[in-house]
Amino acid sequence: MKDVAARAGVGLKTVSRVVNSEPGVTPDTERRVQEAIEALGFRRNDSARVLRKGRTASIGLVLEDLADPFYGPLSRAVEEVARDHGALLINGSSAEDPEREEELVLALCARRVDGLVIVPASQDHRYLEPELAAGVATVFVDRPAGRIEADAVLSDSFGGARDGVAHLIAHGHRRIGFIGDQPRIHTAAERLRGYRAAMAAAGLAVDESWVSLGTTDAGRVEAAATAMLDAPEPVTAIFAGNNRVTVTVVRVLARRSRQVALVGFDDLELADLLQPGLTVIAQDAAALGRTAAEFLFRRLEGGPEAPQRVVLPTTLIPRGSGELPPV
């Protein structure tokens, strides 16, 4: 800054005002300072700025899997809100591993991020209590925090699954399979609860062989779907608990001559081009990310003290696969 000040013929305070976009500098003086900055290749030292202001103008985003298409629009929405607030976004994925989540979250805190948006893998977030007490704003998205009170922005997993299964029932199905994620995951448990609620509301008993929870790898899902479809009394419809499960079930059904109805939770790219088109319960991933990020910045600006929970609605999109009659 001394070099810039000397070249522009101004004082250090004037350079500081220009760099930090503060008032009190004439247009001609600002032009001279900017020309000196350009000529000297000056870059602001953000480490020194952190020591002075106590804020890094950066936030962290911890996702389950950066490669999952669902998290693309969510991440982009968080980034856009951060950009609007002049903040840098740093993100990483937990790979659904609680230990990796904790390691990543604490590494971001060690780098003094101002706040965190977390899609949790862990069921116990007490490790975050010292960071929260130190003022690190934190919002959980898609799933709530475990064993601590914290802000959360969620989709209506229960209501969406209930609506999807009720849709299949309305089209004549009575034997409906449910294939979901691991039962410890909040969204998987809520979607299973929605499935059972819809079946109960219709007076339909659930054969436990119609329910399968576990990892979303293709082998496990294919085995579960095959068992349901090849049973002595096979299911006539399947409700898939997330996008990865849906993709595998679509492949299983494509190899069979008998039509089976399918509704998936989460929309998929090109879902409308399948034959028949894929009926889904769609979440608004971008709205999840945008709402969580906006809430985070309200927290940073001294927003409401008590932790808040926001639940966003889902949308049933009928395209054909969920409207097939039972065979």
Side-chain angles (χ1 to χ4, degrees), residues 72-249:
L74 189 154
S75 176
R76 178 63 181 272
V78 173
E79 184 176 21
E80 289 299 319
V81 174
R83 186 171 182 270
D84 289 343
H85 286 81
L88 177 70
L89 178 67
I90 307 169
N91 58 26
S93 53
S94 67
E96 203 63 76
D97 180 345
E99 290 185 5
R100 182 166 166 175
E101 176 207 292
E102 180 176 349
E103 177 185 326
L104 181 55
V105 166
L106 294 181
L108 288 167
C109 290
R111 284 159 177 77
R112 301 282 302 277
V113 294
D114 298 325
L116 293 162
V117 176
I118 302 174
V119 177
S122 175
Q123 294 178 292
D124 187 350
H125 291 94
R126 288 177 295 176
Y127 70 84
L128 257 174
E129 287 177 336
E131 311 302 332
L132 295 172
V136 178
T138 304
V139 178
F140 288 80
V141 65
D142 191 42
R143 309 164 188 172
R147 305 188 71 177
I148 64 169
E149 292 296 318
D151 296 321
V153 179
L154 317 173
S155 287
D156 185 6
S157 285
F158 168 79
R162 181 194 57 205
D163 292 347
V165 175
H167 185 73
L168 290 167
I169 293 169
H171 284 81
H173 296 278
R174 300 295 178 265
R175 297 194 304 275
I176 302 171
F178 177 93
I179 305 177
D181 210 329
Q182 301 179 72
R184 66 177 178 80
I185 296 174
H186 172 82
T187 48
E190 283 295 283
R191 291 166 197 176
L192 175 60
R193 192 167 71 87
Y195 162 81
R196 292 189 184 280
M199 295 291 278
L204 300 175
V206 174
D207 187 320
E208 291 308 312
S209 68
W210 300 345
V211 176
S212 179
L213 297 178
T215 63
T216 57
D217 66 87
R220 200 283 300 183
V221 174
E222 182 172 349
T226 300
M228 293 178 191
L229 295 168
D230 290 344
E233 287 191 284
V235 298
T236 63
I238 292 176
F239 185 86
N242 66 27
N243 56 357
R244 284 164 291 185
V245 173
T246 302
V247 168
T248 299
V249 173

Side-chain angles (χ1 to χ4, degrees), residues 1 4-5 10-20 33 37 42:
M1 287 179 69
V4 171
V10 299
L12 279 174
K13 182 59 179 175
T14 300
V15 176
S16 176
R17 285 192 178 117
V18 172
V19 168
N20 292 295
V33 172
I37 285 172
F42 170 81

